Amino acid sequence: MNDSRHRERMQKKKDVVDERIAKASEERGVLILLKGNGKGKSSSAFGTLARSLGHGYRCAVIQFIKGRRETGEYLFFRDHPQLDWHIMGHGFTWETQDREKDIEAAQAAWSIAEGLLKDPNYQLIVFDEMSYMLKYGYLEPEPIVEALRQRPHHQNVIITGRTMAQPLQAIADTISTVQDERHAFRGGVKAQPGIEF
Ligand code: ATP
Ligand code: MG
């Protein structure tokens, strides 16, 4: 391709992009769902958290599944003055089989979440692995949808989890599915700090 054809093509591309930019003029917070079986949902949410904190915004994280407490992200972010980090009380894990206790903990975590969703000081809230609470019926979708709808206009929310309830998908602005194409774990590689947690 010669230089002038390349220039022409790039100009066309730029025109298309400029038009889209001009159209996307609304300023408001968004609801982002990160789902699917591949690796990259929570790490993407925490990447976005770093972005928001970098801009000086007040942020919060609620982890609905208590796996390892001392994850790298927790150790890194926990002392940040603009961030609140909550880990669900008793904490649902794959090892617990106490449904009653799980429900109690999920509801306690949700009441913290509800408070955050009413507080205009929070620019970004991450609900990590929240989708499991809906999947197992520990939380009902209606109050969550309602609270998300009523939240402050500029507030961004990210929810992660492998499967996402339909009512959440119906009101989301951005939905990304992380597809599992290959994972080192199945190739026999042990989960490692700094990569998995
Ligand atoms: P990450 O936190 O690495 O972004 P994730 O949030 O997308 O992962 P989860 O389902 O929350 O995925 O994963 C829980 C743990 O299992 C994490 O340590 C993650 O790195 C790892 N993991 C994620 N996807 C897979 C997979 N397909 N096979 C094996 N392990 C996985
Ligand atoms: Mg995750």
Side-chain angles (χ1 to χ4, degrees), residues 10 15 26 50 71 80 83 98 100 139 141 162 190:
M10 287 304 157
D15 292 346
E26 198 183 340
T71 59
H80 197 290
L83 177 68
D98 191 338
E100 277 312 304
L139 297 176
R162 293 197 176 195
K190 190 176 169 183

Side-chain angles (χ1 to χ4, degrees), residues 41 49 60 86 139 143 175 180:
K41 301 173 293 294
L49 177 67
H86 304 273
L139 297 176
I175 304 177
D180 179 27

Side-chain angles (χ1 to χ4, degrees), residues 36-44 46 73 128-129 132 160-162 178 180 182-186 191 195-197:
N37 293 328
K39 170 176 166 55
K41 301 173 293 294
S42 296
S43 41
S44 164
F46 296 131
E73 56 269 29
D128 192 36
E129 322 290 351
Y132 295 99
T160 80
R162 293 197 176 195
V178 183
D180 179 27
R182 184 181 300 167
H183 197 288
F185 181 67
R186 289 196 299 280
I195 297 295
E196 253 76 48
F197 56 87

Side-chain angles (χ1 to χ4, degrees), residues 28-120:
R28 63 171 174 86
V30 290
L31 172 61
I32 302 172
L33 306 182
L34 304 174
K35 61 174 191 153
N37 293 328
K39 170 176 166 55
K41 301 173 293 294
S42 296
S43 41
S44 164
F46 296 131
T48 310
L49 177 67
R51 251 184 203 168
S52 288
L53 289 170
H55 285 285
Y57 297 134
R58 173 136 214 99
C59 303
V61 174
I62 300 187
Q63 287 193 297
F64 282 82
I65 291 191
K66 188 162 105 190
R68 283 167 211 267
R69 195 186 173 93
E70 310 273 282
T71 59
E73 56 269 29
Y74 172 72
L75 295 171
F76 181 76
F77 284 118
R78 67 175 169 188
D79 295 325
H80 197 290
Q82 289 286 82
L83 177 68
D84 301 344
W85 192 294
H86 304 273
I87 302 175
M88 196 171 100
H90 149 74
F92 168 86
T93 72
W94 308 115
E95 276 103 52
T96 66
Q97 278 115 30
D98 191 338
R99 198 177 142 78
E100 277 312 304
K101 257 190 152 178
D102 284 348
I103 292 174
E104 227 171 77
Q107 280 164 358
W110 171 244
S111 67
I112 295 172
E114 259 188 317
L116 296 170
L117 289 169
K118 284 186 185 137
D119 190 337

